[in-house]
């Protein structure tokens, strides 16, 4: 009985760690995408996103 | 799976709010940008600082692809609007999910979601742009781009951490959050040596000054609509698609 309880606790804390990791991955993806569309100095990306960069008030040229 | 649900929720929120802001931009913001560009093109920037790398960088159009004026430019801007909104929504929903998972404070609902949206607006527009570097129409004099981008990101991050400290930390540490949020403004945003516009014609300056204040107002209104709806939608999709799936 005690063993079974231990196993469940272990298991649920395992799951919660991996959920946190997944949240942090999603957060990193979001930040990277902001940097790519809004800040990357590549000419092509700048030209494509030019008006949007201005409209979101990102620093632009 | 949490990651998939987070991404799909952010996609839903990002597409809706990005389309909304795209429509607003097309009607209220782009006319200002286009009008400002008329004066920008009239100014041969290279004549002023020949050989200056900064000037060459600032608006020298190289052979790189750029969308043609008209529909291609509108669609390209719309795609960028949706991408940025998706990215913002992904950050917001992830942090909300982290809050629901880790914090003992009340879980996010649609009302606190709107407060989250306003906090996000402060971190991503209010502090770095409105209080710091100011929204810029094309042709505005400004400090070196890399410095402004770094300051913008620094300000945005310290504002977010500052708000988090004020909200989550024990009372005696809350002051540290305020100091952190104030720090980039105490350092000061990188500013041009001379305020004004690249075009020095008095008529252009008058027109650009007027366009500039319109641009402040319209971006602020647009951002307010965007972030309030994003906060509400993000909290809705979080409770519906992310928390429920766990």
């Amino acid at each position: 009985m005690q063993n079974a309880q231990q196993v469940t606790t272990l298991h649920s804390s395992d799951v919660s760690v991996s959920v946190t990791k997944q949240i942090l991955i999603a957060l990193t993806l979001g930040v990277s995408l902001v940097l790519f569309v809004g800040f990357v100095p590549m000419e092509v990306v700048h030209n494509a996103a030019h008006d949007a960069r201005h409209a979101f008030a990102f620093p632009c040229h | 799976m949490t990651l998939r649900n987070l991404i799909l929720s952010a996609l839903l929120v990002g597409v809706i709010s990005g389309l909304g802001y795209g429509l607003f931009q097309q009607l209220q913001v782009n006319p200002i940008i286009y009008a400002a560009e008329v004066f920008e093109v009239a100014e041969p920037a290279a004549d002023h600082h020949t050989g200056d790398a900064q000037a060459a960088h600032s608006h020298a159009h190289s052979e790189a692809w750029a969308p043609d004026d008209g529909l291609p430019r509108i669609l390209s801007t719309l795609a960028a609007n949706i991408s940025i909104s998706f990215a913002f929504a992904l950050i917001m929903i992830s942090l909300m999910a982290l809050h629901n998972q880790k914090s003992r404070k009340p879980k996010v609902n649609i009302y606190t979601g709107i407060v989250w949206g306003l906090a996000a607006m402060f971190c991503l527009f209010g502090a770095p742009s409105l209080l710091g570097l100011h929204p810029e129409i094309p042709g505005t004099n400004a400090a070196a781009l890399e410095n402004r981008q770094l300051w913008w990101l620094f300000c945005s991050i310290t504002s977010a951490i500052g708000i988090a400290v004020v909200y989550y930390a024990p009372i005696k540490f809350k002051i540290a959050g305020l100091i952190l949020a104030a720090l980039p403004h105490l350092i000061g945003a990188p500013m041009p040596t001379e305020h004004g516009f690249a075009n020095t014609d008095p008529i252009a300056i008058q027109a650009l000054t007027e366009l500039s204040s319109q641009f402040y107002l319209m971006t602020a209104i647009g951002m307010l609509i965007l972030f309030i709806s994003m906060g509400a939608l993000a909290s809705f999709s979080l409770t519906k698609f992310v928390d429920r799936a766990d």
Side-chain angles (χ1 to χ4, degrees):
Chain A
M1 184 64 187
Q2 225 179 4
N3 261 353
Q5 218 169 20
Q6 242 174 6
V7 168
T8 8
T9 341
L10 263 180
H11 182 70
S12 78
S13 86
D14 246 21
V15 167
S16 117
V17 166
S18 89
V19 167
T20 308
K21 267 191 194 153
Q22 291 178 49
I23 292 172
L24 294 178
I25 291 169
L27 185 64
T28 312
L29 281 175
V31 173
S32 316
L33 188 58
V34 171
L35 292 178
F36 181 74
V37 183
F39 289 83
V40 144
M42 274 167 62
E43 201 75 19
V44 175
V45 182
H46 165 270
N47 292 348
H50 174 268
D51 294 355
R53 285 184 180 190
H54 273 284
F56 277 84
F58 292 151
C60 191
H61 56 73
Chain B
M1 168 144 176
T2 312
L3 182 59
R4 189 198 61 191
N5 291 345
L6 285 170
I7 292 174
L8 291 178
S9 301
L11 206 55
L12 180 76
V13 176
V15 169
I16 295 173
S17 50
L19 278 174
Y21 190 64
L23 185 67
F24 180 87
Q25 173 171 6
Q26 192 51 42
L27 296 175
Q28 301 294 346
V29 180
N30 280 349
I32 305 173
I33 295 178
Y34 297 163
E37 276 180 350
V38 172
F39 297 103
E40 185 191 38
V41 175
E43 164 75 358
D47 280 8
H48 258 281
H49 323 261
T50 327
D52 184 0
Q54 200 60 49
H57 174 79
S58 69
H59 225 232
H61 283 288
S62 59
E63 301 88 62
W65 175 87
D68 291 330
D69 280 347
L71 194 62
R73 185 168 173 179
I74 292 170
L75 291 178
S76 170
T77 302
L78 194 62
N81 280 326
I82 292 174
S83 308
I84 296 170
S85 302
F86 165 59
F88 280 0
L90 194 54
I91 295 171
M92 192 189 284
I93 295 176
S94 302
L95 291 175
M96 283 175 167
L98 206 59
H99 165 94
N100 278 1
Q101 195 200 16
K102 299 283 183 197
S103 167
R104 286 199 207 112
K105 304 227 180 218
K107 297 216 182 300
V108 178
N109 60 39
I110 198 144
Y111 301 108
T112 50
I114 290 172
V115 179
W116 274 74
L118 293 172
M121 177 168 169
F122 178 77
C123 300
L124 296 167
F125 179 74
S129 300
L130 218 50
L131 299 173
L133 289 163
H134 310 312
E136 288 161 14
I137 54 172
T140 311
N141 283 344
L145 178 65
E146 291 76 12
N147 295 345
R148 281 180 294 136
Q149 287 188 324
L150 276 179
W151 188 89
W152 195 101
L153 292 168
F154 173 67
C155 180
S156 177
I157 290 166
T158 53
S159 304
I161 298 175
I163 290 178
V165 169
V166 169
Y167 183 58
Y168 295 109
I171 189 108
K172 57 184 170 182
F173 294 117
K174 286 192 193 298
I175 187 78
L178 290 178
I179 294 171
L180 202 57
L183 187 64
H185 304 283
L186 297 174
I187 295 172
M191 285 292 163
T193 43
E194 213 179 307
H195 278 276
F197 304 98
N199 195 332
T200 48
D201 177 22
I203 298 169
I205 289 175
Q206 201 197 346
L208 285 168
T209 309
E210 215 162 281
L211 287 169
S212 215
S213 52
Q214 276 176 36
F215 191 71
Y216 271 44
L217 181 67
M218 283 308 159
T219 47
I221 293 173
M223 285 286 130
L224 193 64
I225 300 170
L226 173 85
F227 279 107
I228 286 179
S229 54
M230 186 180 280
L233 288 168
S235 63
F236 171 78
S237 63
L238 179 80
T239 42
K240 194 124 182 110
F241 306 119
V242 181
D243 282 354
R244 191 169 291 181
D246 289 343

